[in-house]
Amino acid sequence: SFIFVHVNLILNNLHYMNLAVIGSGGREHSICYKLKQSKKVKKLICIPGNAGTQKIAKNIKEDLSNFKSILKVLRENNIDIVIVGPEQPLVDGIADYLIKENIRVFGPSKFASKLEGSKSFMKNLCKKHNIPTAKFGIFDELDAALKFVRENGVPIVVKADGLAAGKGVSICKNFGEAKVKISEIINGKFESSNKVVLEEFLDGEELSYFSIVDKNSYKFFGSAQDHKRVGEGDTGPNTGGMGAYSPAEILNDNLEKKIKSKIIDPTLTAMKELGQSYTGFLYAGLMIKKNEPYLIEYNIRMGDPECQVIMTRLNSDLCEIIDAATKNNLNNIEIKWIADSSITVVLCAKGYPGKYLKNSEIQNIPKVISDKNNQVFHAGTYEKNNKIYSNGGRVLNITSVGKNIIEARDKCLSNLKKINWIDGFYRKDIGWRAISKK
Ligand code: AMP
Ligand code: GLY
């Protein structure tokens, strides 16, 4: 036993694992940030990464649809585990491809990724297993779809069946608007699918509930509330997310029990019954009505920007957690969280989610002192001659931790004021629902 203890001591203090993170958003920067704190991590690469990940990992540019060249990079760098951040490569089957090549991957298979990649797959699974969700119909033909709208009334939610980068959902307040949105989808606006999913409008408060899943068990991986609309007061068109905070104060023990027993458990069991065990992060987008959860959507990955607030509250070694998950050993580890609140505000390029300018210089980012309570996670940025430039719609995620949400928000907004970017904008009211209840 002396030798055993000794070997463990040595392993615990040695940097011996090489990890790769796939993606280039604030989500991936925050994952790299957390991995970098682990004593177990020797080498960290990010494919392709951004100006933020470049400071803590080695960025390697690759096209995320080219699995063969990604495999080559992983082999050249002796990577032990790959963490896939975004949905598209997962839906395209990157996990299956790399696992076949004997690479350890953290992320779901192509089949399991249909939980996000196909709303019709997800809705039919809910129906079959009595998982609470909005009433729905799936159509590929205009007349039948309009009949459903007439029968169910407005408001009605019109969704593209396939992946749509956060732009496939419209809440339609009248018949005419619904007809326009349905026609667009059926006529091929989204490459991923021509099918349209129509849903009953659920009125309530949203909650993002995260789990980390392996073949034997799953564990809670944080809660958050996202702000999807571009404008203050949650107005205007949908975006990928303008800001988030964690924990979501609406979550309580009783509600969590219902989320697990009515939604997560039956979903994971259904996937097992299909012979397609789910593994990876699982993000349940929920609507809460009178302390009852309804599933709005599944995402097969961490949320962006929710990941940024969850990583800054995680009080355990992320490398150990991912290592355990890829060995189906999650039931033997403990995942700890700090009690503090975390908030992130997304600094966007003016015009987003519509057309916006790129290659605009952002000044004074280093004026934000980074420590365990304050971080600037990068999303659409790149560096040239020691200057930072934008190359996306969502550009920086200013993230702060505080004793409570008000303290976190105040720190975050004061950090934002230090950054100088004339082509940028952000929402000043992130967290308003929780703050207004204080
Ligand atoms: P999704 O991409 O499915 O998450 O939808 C984007 C956003 O639209 C959600 O975060 C909700 O705010 C809203 N939404 C989607 N489905 C519904 C629904 N059935 N009832 C009310 N709001 C919805
Ligand atoms: N922030 C929403 C998402 O990641 O889907």
Side-chain angles (χ1 to χ4, degrees):
S1 91
F2 173 75
I3 290 173
F4 176 75
V5 169
H6 220 77
V7 167
N8 257 329
L9 271 178
I10 292 168
L11 283 182
N12 278 332
N13 289 298
L14 269 188
H15 299 262
Y16 66 96
M17 290 186 80
N18 298 332
L19 272 81
V21 175
I22 290 183
S24 61
R27 168 180 50 212
E28 288 75 23
H29 187 188
S30 70
I31 291 173
C32 287
Y33 161 78
K34 205 61 206 168
L35 289 173
K36 195 68 190 170
Q37 295 172 357
S38 169
K39 283 197 195 125
K40 300 210 156 124
V41 176
K42 187 164 92 189
K43 190 194 293 184
L44 182 60
I45 69 172
C46 192
I47 310 171
N50 58 39
T53 62
Q54 183 180 302
K55 289 233 154 90
I56 50 177
K58 183 176 161 200
N59 280 355
I60 301 179
K61 234 195 188 110
E62 283 300 338
D63 174 358
L64 297 191
S65 64
N66 191 343
F67 298 166
K68 214 170 156 187
S69 30
I70 291 175
L71 174 65
K72 194 162 162 265
V73 168
L74 299 175
R75 290 234 166 98
E76 281 166 2
N77 286 280
N78 275 314
I79 296 300
D80 296 295
I81 308 178
V82 192
I83 301 167
V84 186
E87 62 279 14
Q88 190 72 57
L90 290 165
V91 169
D92 293 344
I94 196 169
D96 312 59
Y97 177 86
L98 293 175
I99 287 166
K100 236 191 197 155
E101 300 287 345
N102 289 316
I103 304 265
R104 252 206 286 167
V105 182
F106 181 70
S109 68
K110 181 172 181 154
F111 186 93
S113 297
K114 288 204 285 189
L115 282 177
E116 173 169 1
S118 168
K119 293 210 188 275
S120 54
F121 174 81
M122 181 283 258
K123 294 297 280 188
N124 284 324
L125 186 129
C126 286
K127 194 169 166 184
K128 186 162 175 214
H129 297 272
N130 284 317
I131 295 168
T133 187
K135 278 193 216 100
F136 71 102
I138 302 166
F139 305 93
D140 53 14
E141 199 257 313
L142 185 63
D143 288 339
L146 293 180
K147 185 164 173 267
F148 184 93
V149 179
R150 272 189 213 99
E151 282 166 8
N152 289 276
V154 287
I156 193 149
V157 186
V158 178
K159 300 187 176 185
D161 173 47
L163 286 187
K167 286 164 191 151
V169 175
S170 310
I171 294 161
C172 298
K173 293 197 178 69
N174 59 58
F175 186 83
E177 202 184 334
K179 187 173 172 182
V180 171
K181 295 294 175 188
I182 293 167
S183 306
E184 281 177 2
I185 294 169
I186 288 179
N187 294 329
K189 181 175 179 187
F190 300 99
E191 265 172 46
S192 49
S193 170
N194 285 354
K195 275 192 257 178
V196 65
V197 178
L198 300 180
E199 278 184 23
E200 158 203 20
F201 175 77
L202 293 173
D203 201 7
E205 191 168 339
E206 280 185 69
L207 163 65
S208 303
Y209 185 90
F210 297 88
S211 306
I212 183 165
V213 186
D214 70 18
K215 289 185 179 169
N216 295 323
S217 70
Y218 74 95
K219 290 225 150 105
F220 171 67
F221 205 72
S223 68
Q225 208 165 58
D226 182 19
H227 294 64
K228 284 211 175 79
R229 306 293 199 90
V230 73
E232 289 184 5
D234 294 328
T235 54
N238 259 326
T239 69
M242 297 296 293
Y245 61 93
S246 173
E249 309 202 355
I250 188 176
L251 188 63
N252 55 58
D253 287 347
N254 177 265
L255 178 60
E256 183 163 18
K257 273 194 197 117
K258 291 182 199 165
I259 293 169
K260 287 182 166 172
S261 66
K262 295 185 177 186
I263 296 176
I264 313 291
D265 294 342
T267 301
L268 297 178
T269 304
M271 296 306 285
K272 277 199 184 114
E273 282 169 11
L274 289 166
Q276 304 280 347
S277 294
Y278 188 91
T279 58
F281 290 122
L282 181 63
Y283 163 168
L286 307 169
M287 191 67 85
I288 311 302
K289 257 174 101 167
K290 298 185 185 135
N291 213 40
E292 283 297 325
Y294 295 84
L295 181 67
I296 292 184
E297 63 164 348
Y298 269 131
N299 294 312
I300 52 154
R301 49 174 176 83
M302 284 306 286
D304 187 341
E306 294 96 319
C307 190
Q308 292 82 311
V309 284
I310 285 174
M311 289 302 162
T312 46
R313 294 188 57 241
L314 179 61
N315 200 13
S316 295
D317 183 324
L318 181 61
C319 178
E320 251 170 54
I321 297 170
I322 302 279
D323 185 32
T326 57
K327 292 172 177 159
N328 298 310
N329 204 17
L330 276 175
N331 42 13
N332 292 317
I333 62 160
E334 194 191 349
I335 302 178
K336 292 187 199 139
W337 304 94
I338 58 167
D340 295 7
S341 292
S342 180
I343 195 162
T344 190
V345 175
V346 181
L347 183 53
C348 298
K350 279 179 189 162
Y352 175 80
K355 278 207 173 82
Y356 53 82
L357 217 79
K358 289 187 183 177
N359 307 308
S360 161
E361 192 194 339
I362 307 157
Q363 293 173 325
N364 293 345
I365 299 172
K367 285 206 173 163
V368 179
I369 308 298
S370 65
D371 57 24
K372 72 182 205 315
N373 291 326
N374 297 280
Q375 286 294 318
V376 177
F377 294 120
H378 287 239
T381 64
Y382 66 94
E383 195 211 276
K384 205 175 157 188
N385 303 324
N386 282 321
K387 290 178 176 169
I388 305 291
Y389 295 90
S390 67
N391 69 350
R394 295 194 294 168
V395 175
L396 294 173
N397 310 139
I398 288 65
T399 311
S400 290
V401 175
K403 279 197 304 290
N404 54 51
I405 186 161
I406 294 175
E407 192 188 293
R409 189 259 329 252
D410 292 348
K411 279 191 203 172
C412 183
L413 292 181
S414 89
N415 284 337
L416 265 156
K417 287 193 189 116
K418 295 175 189 161
I419 296 172
N420 185 8
W421 187 31
I422 45 168
D423 292 315
F425 79 100
Y426 59 92
R427 276 182 62 173
K428 294 174 192 66
D429 67 340
I430 301 303
W432 69 269
R433 268 176 214 277
I435 289 166
S436 68
K437 286 178 196 156
K438 297 278 160 194

